[in-house]
Amino acid sequence: MSLMFVLARVANPVPGPPWALPGAPGLNSAGSVPWTIVVLLTVLTLLPALLLSMTPFVRLLVVFHFLRQALGLQSTPSNQTLIGLALILTYFLMQPVVEEVYRVSAVPLEQGSITAMEAAGRAAGPLRSFMLKYAREKDLALFLELAREARPHNPDDIPLRVVVPAYIISELKSGFQIGAALFLPFLVIDLVVAAVAASIGMLQLPPVVISTPLKILLFVMVDGWNLLVGSVMRSFG
């Protein structure tokens, strides 16, 4: 919500008419309106990518898809259900960060004490701190080397173009680690069912037809959703 507010303030700063661009007080002609619309549409188009790259959404969605594959289910829960759950949990985790961004960026912008560019710079601070908390040093070092940046003296000196890709691959690694741990108990069930079916000569019925209900029953009996969501959320500390 705070990001949408900042975008609205960029498109309609105060004081000035709605078509006045930030940072250009003398540019009040109607010709600036199309450029404002282009900038806003571009930012709105990039919002899904920003959501994927700067929030826990990546790890959550990877873990949920691993779970569905481990259970042997193709479309249950549906993609919409998994994405919706991941979005809600992402909001739960990111709410303190969003409140901090609103406090240091949107409020001063609303009061007119800073410009839109300064607001964007202030908003990057809490996001950088959040991502640095979960980005691995190895990944940060990799992208510092690729960017040919000098080793920073403190984390705040690391540029955002280094932090974001390092955070993404760190989250992917964490998601795959949790997904691999999820597969192990269900893999044991598949192996046992396949061995029993082969030993009694029941070759007409695929083992997955027998193992899938057993895996679902085990997942329900141990209250799997509570355990899984609790474990993933605690992994964010």
Side-chain angles (χ1 to χ4, degrees), residues 71-73 189-190 193-194 197 202-217:
L71 288 172
L73 304 173
I189 294 178
D190 287 332
V193 170
M202 191 169 54
L203 304 178
Q204 298 83 359
L205 191 64
V208 67
V209 177
I210 304 174
S211 63
T212 298
L214 295 177
K215 290 187 290 187
I216 296 175
L217 181 61

Side-chain angles (χ1 to χ4, degrees), residues 2-184:
S2 61
L3 180 58
M4 296 303 298
F5 174 80
V6 171
L7 294 178
R9 301 301 297 178
V10 171
N12 188 16
V14 177
W19 55 83
L21 290 177
L27 187 59
N28 293 330
S29 62
S32 63
V33 176
W35 288 107
T36 303
I37 295 175
V38 169
V39 171
L40 288 177
L41 290 179
T42 303
V43 173
L44 290 175
T45 303
L46 294 175
L47 278 179
L50 295 175
L51 176 66
L52 288 174
S53 59
M54 298 184 180
T55 66
F57 184 81
V58 175
R59 186 191 304 188
L60 293 167
L61 196 58
V62 168
V63 170
F64 292 153
H65 278 286
F66 265 107
L67 172 66
R68 190 168 66 181
Q69 294 297 323
L71 288 172
L73 304 173
Q74 300 299 322
S75 59
T76 303
S78 64
N79 289 333
Q80 291 83 355
T81 302
L82 295 180
I83 292 173
L85 178 59
L87 284 173
I88 292 173
L89 296 179
T90 299
Y91 169 75
F92 181 86
L93 291 169
M94 292 296 294
Q95 184 178 5
V97 180
V98 173
E99 291 178 351
E100 180 67 13
V101 170
Y102 180 79
R103 184 182 65 82
V104 302
S105 175
V107 172
L109 181 63
E110 181 183 14
Q111 296 172 351
S113 58
I114 61 174
T115 64
M117 294 301 296
E118 292 174 340
R122 291 190 179 188
L127 290 174
R128 179 189 288 107
S129 300
F130 175 82
M131 289 185 288
L132 283 173
K133 186 177 180 181
Y134 302 104
R136 299 189 306 164
E137 293 184 5
K138 183 178 180 180
D139 298 328
L140 290 171
L142 170 65
F143 284 100
L144 281 172
E145 178 184 355
L146 294 177
R148 297 181 179 178
E149 296 279 350
R151 182 174 293 274
H153 297 289
N154 57 73
D156 294 335
D157 295 334
I158 303 178
L160 203 59
R161 74 184 184 114
V162 171
V163 176
V164 173
Y167 172 77
I168 292 175
I169 63 175
S170 298
E171 287 295 282
L172 287 174
K173 182 179 186 299
S174 299
F176 273 73
Q177 286 177 332
I178 299 174
L182 276 174
F183 256 100
L184 292 179

Side-chain angles (χ1 to χ4, degrees), residues 209-230:
V209 177
I210 304 174
S211 63
T212 298
L214 295 177
K215 290 187 290 187
I216 296 175
L217 181 61
L218 173 65
F219 188 73
V220 173
M221 288 179 60
V222 300
D223 198 4
W225 283 111
N226 183 280
L227 292 176
L228 176 64
V229 173

